[in-house]
Amino acid sequence: MACDILVTGCRGQLGRDLMALFSADHSVCGVDLEEFDIRDRERTLEVIQEADPGIVLHAAAYTDVDGCEENRELAMAVNADGAENVALACRKVGARIVYYSTDYVFDGNADRPYTEDDQTDPQTVYGQSKLAGEQVVQGVLDDCVILRIAWLYGRHGRNFVKTMIKLGFQQRHDLHGGREIAPLKVVDDQFGAPCWTMDIARQTRAILPRQLTGLFHATSEGETSWYGFTQAIFATMNLDVVVEPCTSDEFPRPAPRPKRSTLTNQRLNEAGLNIMPDWKTSLESFLHDHGKELACEL
Ligand SMILES: NC(=O)c1ccc[n+]([C@@H]2O[C@H](COP(=O)([O-])OP(=O)(O)OC[C@H]3O[C@@H](n4cnc5c(N)ncnc54)[C@H](OP(=O)(O)O)[C@@H]3O)[C@@H](O)[C@H]2O)c1
């Protein structure tokens, strides 16, 4: 199965959109846990050698942030050692790699968006394991691309937008049924930039022909809180839902969430390559394209 581009984590949220976008004009093969576990160095090498791609889009990861907190070893094994295995295989076959990293590499306490030059200080095991992944990939390959992305949602997989749409319809159903409704409480003291996975796929496609290497922030423009994001979802879906802002203290989680992990795409801007839209415009496009399907699937 030789191909131009190999996508790891091809059945994940981002992986599915990478497969869809790049398949339009490249031969693309996708691999996920069903094919092999990236913790297995020999098998990783074997499969990537067989596929012999020019580019590997490495989207596979252990992404359960709270799960990582409780399973440090697994998080490091998948997100750092697994990334190293993929990078070593890329070096062997002469492939370029795009490694998808996260806003969680920062402490989340800054009073302005983080640039690529800011000091990292991950506060969660997930963030630590993804930062370790960045470092091992950079150690193995001089010409890698690291894209730090954030707050993903998309057509596939589980994500915040889908959850909110489900809860919104549930509340409407209860209201019509004459049942008492409790307002939906959403955290209003954590800020970031929601990103549609298809925008990340398009941004990846825009970068690749330029042969750029190094670390780039690639998130939607602007920022909002989870509460602001929720309000925008319901407004765009024309769903009249009772939503109330609340603080993070009301929803304690095993892994502490950053207060503000907004990134600025400084290096993409400098290269004239930043095509990430404003988060709200992007959300509207996503719901325009997929909102009806999502509502029908409930
Ligand atoms: N989601 C976000 O908000 C977010 C934010 C910033 C950065 N990122 C990064 O963006 C990338 C894509 O995220 P996503 O949300 O699309 O993730 P996702 O939906 O969880 O997809 C990741 C895929 O990787 C697979 N995988 C897990 N462990 C593996 C292993 N040991 N070997 C091979 N495959 C394995 C998963 O399989 P299973 O589902 O069967 O476990 C899943 O199909 C990741 O690198 C993530 O760290 C995500």
Side-chain angles (χ1 to χ4, degrees):
M1 60 149 191
C3 56
D4 302 336
I5 297 177
L6 181 135
V7 177
T8 70
C10 70
R11 295 187 191 89
Q13 284 194 86
L14 176 59
R16 293 276 295 260
D17 278 354
L18 289 171
M19 294 293 294
L21 188 77
F22 282 93
S23 295
D25 42 20
H26 292 88
S27 68
V28 182
C29 38
V31 289
D32 210 302
L33 259 179
E34 271 176 46
E35 285 71 29
F36 69 97
D37 189 321
I38 56 170
R39 288 176 294 169
D40 182 339
R41 181 170 292 185
E42 268 179 38
R43 181 87 181 114
T44 303
L45 185 60
E46 187 186 320
V47 175
I48 294 183
Q49 254 182 326
E50 195 187 320
D52 195 20
I55 294 167
V56 172
L57 305 177
H58 180 44
Y62 179 31
T63 58
D64 174 354
V65 175
D66 291 325
C68 285
E69 210 62 22
E70 283 147 16
N71 298 289
R72 169 178 280 273
E73 261 182 44
L74 179 61
M76 296 306 287
V78 177
N79 295 345
D81 303 345
E84 184 177 28
N85 293 340
V86 174
L88 286 168
C90 287
R91 190 168 71 187
K92 187 102 182 172
V93 302
R96 294 172 70 204
I97 190 171
V98 179
Y99 170 84
Y100 295 95
S101 189
T102 170
D103 52 332
Y104 278 51
V105 298
F106 294 111
D107 65 8
N109 294 321
D111 55 4
R112 56 163 178 77
Y114 291 98
T115 75
E116 291 87 347
D117 297 320
D118 281 319
Q119 184 63 46
T120 53
D121 183 15
Q123 301 294 302
T124 60
V125 172
Y126 171 70
Q128 289 157 12
S129 67
K130 292 294 295 183
L131 179 62
E134 286 187 11
Q135 290 160 348
V136 292
V137 168
Q138 283 170 313
V140 172
L141 292 161
D142 293 332
D143 63 346
C144 60
V145 174
I146 312 273
L147 290 187
R148 287 196 187 133
I149 58 180
W151 289 35
L152 293 189
Y153 65 89
R155 176 69 187 84
H156 309 285
R158 281 193 309 140
N159 58 61
F160 186 81
V161 176
K162 287 184 175 181
T163 303
M164 284 301 137
I165 291 175
K166 189 171 172 195
L167 292 173
F169 274 100
Q170 215 163 21
Q171 198 189 84
R172 188 161 84 170
H173 182 74
D174 288 347
L175 198 63
H176 288 174
R179 282 178 286 276
E180 204 174 312
I181 55 150
L184 191 58
K185 285 189 162 193
V186 187
V187 170
D188 195 27
D189 59 1
Q190 293 169 21
F191 293 85
C195 296
W196 180 12
T197 43
M198 189 50 89
D199 288 336
I200 303 294
R202 291 188 190 113
Q203 183 66 69
T204 304
R205 186 176 60 179
I207 290 172
L208 286 174
R210 283 280 296 274
Q211 304 295 325
L212 289 181
T213 59
L215 169 66
F216 298 89
H217 288 178
T219 53
S220 303
E221 297 293 316
E223 69 175 1
T224 186
S225 68
W226 292 108
Y227 173 69
F229 189 24
T230 304
Q231 285 182 308
I233 295 166
F234 292 145
T236 313
M237 292 290 288
N238 282 320
L239 272 173
D240 197 9
V241 181
V242 185
V243 195
E244 262 181 21
C246 71
T247 66
S248 308
D249 297 342
E250 292 179 62
F251 284 100
R253 310 283 289 266
R257 299 309 199 255
K259 287 278 172 220
R260 188 182 186 203
S261 59
T262 315
L263 311 181
T264 183
N265 304 342
Q266 185 171 288
R267 292 199 184 147
L268 286 180
N269 280 324
E270 285 165 3
L273 277 175
N274 182 16
I275 60 162
M276 291 300 291
D278 163 78
W279 71 267
K280 207 166 182 184
T281 310
S282 185
L283 175 69
E284 285 162 6
S285 305
F286 171 72
L287 291 175
H288 177 268
D289 290 359
H290 301 293
K292 279 203 185 111
E293 293 160 68
L294 294 179
C296 288
E297 282 171 10
L298 296 174

